[in-house]
């Protein structure tokens, strides 16, 4: 996705050899026009897959999951972290470790919002070690729904999450794959 | 907003005399068409106010803040909870107690995304005790920006947040005000 590469080149900030900050347009400040374009791109890539529901996890995934859902005209569910008091009844859950935040959280989805007839598309902002995606896939598994695939805005190709998911037969659609962040330079695949 | 009242009547679940669950369309599962309509309504109410930026707090505020930003063609910033490693440099922050989650968190915004020339519209899903709104207003104050107002999807009129904000001269625009949740019944103002 060319516009995404341009955004990263222009506004991405390298925090270390591992961490690319895209706070100014993707996961702290949102550029609405760009977020809509991202949703359009995911909807195009999964257009023939009869997706019935978008699944993401709070918080950074919500914006791009919503614009994808808008385009595909299906509902969007975001898994909640650390079960709030309003999340009652049967829930699907999974334990996820965030390397960026260095915390382990339980993510949960009310069982009433996914069922075995659903065809689920998982959407997230980043794919690095794949922790969030694996947690969401586990939740899809618990529900008995069909996993259509995983769409991520940015895949860090030098970390093993994407490779592991593909090895397990999961269709992964990154809008851009970063090959390396070494030597203060963003290199795309 | 009539469509919102209909949604609440049809899908709202009363958890207690204080807590209304709107998980099925607003803050766990999102109905994209409805979320777009909410953004349109906020944009209409604040159309003449030269808003330059939408401010919310993760996670439940993001969806409606984004669709408002889309309609107003301005960026949207969501305050982060418990500062992630990527949030560096100068930040504005405030301590917020969530009564729903029964937790106290620090919410933060990178100083680079709000400045004293901004005219900020705060958007959130619920206004009850006003904790999140007050935290965001404190952040706007730290930045020196002008606060245009606070738009909330649902105000619980029987809790004191809205009243306190108005007493302090803040313009509050709820799309619906709930007068009471007593006796297992949702009563609108």
């Amino acid at each position: 996705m060319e516009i995404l590469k341009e955004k990263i080149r222009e506004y991405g900030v390298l925090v270390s050899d591992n961490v690319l900050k895209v706070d100014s347009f993707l996961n702290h400040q949102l550029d609405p026009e760009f977020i809509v374009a991202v949703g359009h791109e995911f909807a195009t890539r999964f257009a023939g897959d009869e997706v019935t529901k978008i699944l993401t996890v709070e918080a950074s995934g919500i914006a791009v999951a919503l614009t994808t859902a808008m385009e595909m005209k299906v509902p969007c569910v975001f898994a909640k972290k650390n079960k709030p008091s309003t999340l009652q009844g049967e829930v699907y859950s999974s334990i996820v470790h965030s390397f960026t935040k260095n915390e382990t959280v339980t993510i949960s989805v009310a069982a009433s919002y996914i069922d075995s007839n659903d065809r689920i598309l998982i959407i997230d902002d980043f794919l690095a070690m794949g922790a969030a995606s694996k947690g969401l896939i586990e939740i899809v598994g618990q529900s008995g729904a069909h996993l259509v695939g995983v769409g991520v805005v940015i895949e860090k190709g030098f970390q093993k999450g994407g490779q592991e998911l593909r090895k397990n037969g999961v269709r992964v659609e990154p809008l851009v794959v970063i090959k390396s962040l070494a030597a203060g330079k963003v290199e795309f695949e």
Side-chain angles (χ1 to χ4, degrees), chain A residues 103-124:
Chain A
E103 63 178 13
T104 299
V105 295
T106 301
I107 65 170
S108 308
V109 172
S112 45
Y113 300 135
I114 313 182
D115 69 44
S116 57
N117 297 314
D118 274 317
R119 295 177 56 83
I120 307 285
L121 170 57
I122 292 172
I123 294 287
D124 211 351

Side-chain angles (χ1 to χ4, degrees), chain A residues 93-107:
Chain A
S93 34
S94 172
I95 293 163
V96 169
H97 181 74
S98 161
F99 293 88
T100 319
K101 290 201 172 189
N102 192 25
E103 63 178 13
T104 299
V105 295
T106 301
I107 65 170

Side-chain angles (χ1 to χ4, degrees), chain A residues 160-172:
Chain A
K160 62 183 181 182
Q163 200 184 333
E164 284 177 1
L165 292 177
R166 291 181 184 97
K167 209 181 289 173
N168 288 322
V170 176
R171 176 178 168 200
V172 182

Side-chain angles (χ1 to χ4, degrees), chain A residues 39-177:
Chain A
H40 179 79
E41 181 68 24
F42 283 131
T44 304
R45 295 198 186 194
F46 291 95
D49 295 292
E50 293 170 8
V51 170
T52 61
K53 209 156 263 189
I54 308 295
L55 179 64
T56 189
V57 58
E58 61 180 26
S60 301
I62 294 175
V64 286
L66 174 65
T67 54
T68 306
M70 281 165 51
E71 194 85 24
M72 300 190 101
K73 298 185 194 306
V74 297
C76 167
V77 176
F78 58 94
K80 301 230 177 188
K81 289 176 182 167
N82 303 325
K83 199 178 162 196
S85 65
T86 47
L87 192 53
Q88 297 168 329
E90 200 193 338
V91 297
Y92 304 125
S93 34
S94 172
I95 293 163
V96 169
H97 181 74
S98 161
F99 293 88
T100 319
K101 290 201 172 189
N102 192 25
E103 63 178 13
T104 299
V105 295
T106 301
I107 65 170
S108 308
V109 172
S112 45
Y113 300 135
I114 313 182
D115 69 44
S116 57
N117 297 314
D118 274 317
R119 295 177 56 83
I120 307 285
L121 170 57
I122 292 172
I123 294 287
D124 211 351
D125 57 341
F126 267 96
L127 173 60
M129 300 300 280
S133 296
K134 286 173 201 160
L136 290 171
I137 289 170
E138 200 182 316
I139 283 174
V140 174
Q142 290 168 24
S143 75
H146 176 77
L147 177 68
V148 168
V150 176
V152 293
V153 182
I154 299 171
E155 178 180 351
K156 291 177 178 172
F158 57 91
Q159 289 185 301
K160 62 183 181 182
Q163 200 184 333
E164 284 177 1
L165 292 177
R166 291 181 184 97
K167 209 181 289 173
N168 288 322
V170 176
R171 176 178 168 200
V172 182
E173 285 280 349
L175 301 191
V176 79
V177 180

